[in-house]
Amino acid sequence: MKTIPYFTLFLTTLLISDACQTKDPIPEAPAGAVATAKVNANKAYFDLNALATSDFEFVLNGEDFGQGVGVKAVEVWIGLNNPRVALTAAMTACGNGVGCLYPAASLAPLPSRLATTDKLWRTFETLPATVNLKAADAAAAVGAKLTDLKLNDTFQLKFVVQTSDGRRFDAFHDGICDETRGQVGDCRLVIRVDTKKALYQPLK
């Protein structure tokens, strides 16, 4: 007879444990869309030694992941970041991160959301679109002069997506914005003012 209370206690504990676990289904993310951008490797930076003729080029498109949302247009916003960063060997070739030195400012600061200093440059309704931006036009868009630009200054192009059902996506999770270069989910591009051609790695 003594086993009955123990059995009852066991069943009660089991029921309480089961009650603590949710049975509600995980809600699906709302159907949306993002911009995608593929940079032309031959025009992937603004050449400090030839700013008057330098340009940056990429193919802009939209992606709704097959959900039928449709991308109506992509707004391209532009901003200038001039951290005056001087990169040393210890900052660019320090191996696994142990004992590395880091600059006091960022070439491409996070988050990638629109800032009050960003300016709407153009809105593209025909996609895909080959976008070519001259250094002079980028400078003019943010109210700067070519002579103001220095080594390691960066322009940030931020994308805002308009969907066919009337929505506007102007903020994305930073993991989408800044860790998927060249894949679906880009919400910005970073154009460096540099002196040499390099693989497009805007955060390096």
Side-chain angles (χ1 to χ4, degrees):
M1 297 296 293
K2 292 182 179 180
T3 59
I4 295 178
Y6 291 109
F7 184 70
T8 303
L9 179 63
F10 172 75
L11 287 178
T12 303
T13 304
L14 191 64
L15 288 172
I16 293 174
S17 174
D18 185 65
C20 292
Q21 298 179 12
T22 178
K23 298 298 183 181
D24 296 332
I26 299 174
E28 294 183 2
V34 296
T36 65
K38 183 177 182 180
V39 177
N40 181 342
N42 296 316
K43 298 183 178 183
Y45 72 107
F46 287 152
D47 188 348
L48 181 63
N49 298 318
L51 286 176
T53 58
S54 187
D55 59 349
F56 181 89
E57 189 173 271
F58 62 98
V59 175
L60 178 66
N61 207 347
E63 175 63 59
D64 67 357
F65 308 103
Q67 299 182 83
V69 176
V71 176
K72 177 182 177 182
V74 177
E75 303 168 15
V76 179
W77 293 69
I78 186 169
L80 174 63
N81 178 45
N82 48 1
R84 301 293 183 256
V85 173
L87 298 178
T88 66
M91 295 175 185
T92 59
C94 59
N96 61 4
V98 178
C100 296
L101 296 177
Y102 297 95
S106 174
L107 296 177
L110 298 176
S112 293
R113 298 173 182 87
L114 292 179
T116 55
T117 54
D118 293 329
K119 309 295 182 184
L120 177 59
W121 177 56
R122 288 181 62 185
T123 299
F124 293 87
E125 296 185 352
T126 301
L127 299 168
T130 299
V131 182
N132 185 278
L133 177 59
K134 297 184 182 301
D137 293 336
V142 297
K145 299 178 181 178
L146 283 180
T147 53
D148 296 333
L149 301 181
K150 306 295 182 184
L151 181 67
N152 288 326
D153 283 353
T154 56
F155 288 91
Q156 296 187 59
L157 303 182
K158 300 177 183 178
F159 307 133
V160 175
V161 178
Q162 300 176 14
T163 59
S164 298
D165 58 7
R167 289 178 294 165
R168 184 172 180 270
F169 292 86
D170 61 354
F172 302 88
H173 187 278
D174 291 339
I176 294 176
C177 293
D178 303 299
E179 295 174 5
T180 57
R181 303 299 178 191
Q183 301 175 23
V184 292
D186 290 331
C187 68
R188 74 167 183 173
L189 290 177
V190 178
I191 309 173
R192 287 180 59 170
V193 177
D194 211 330
T195 57
K196 60 184 181 302
K197 178 182 176 181
L199 177 67
Y200 180 70
Q201 294 176 317
L203 295 186
K204 182 176 180 181

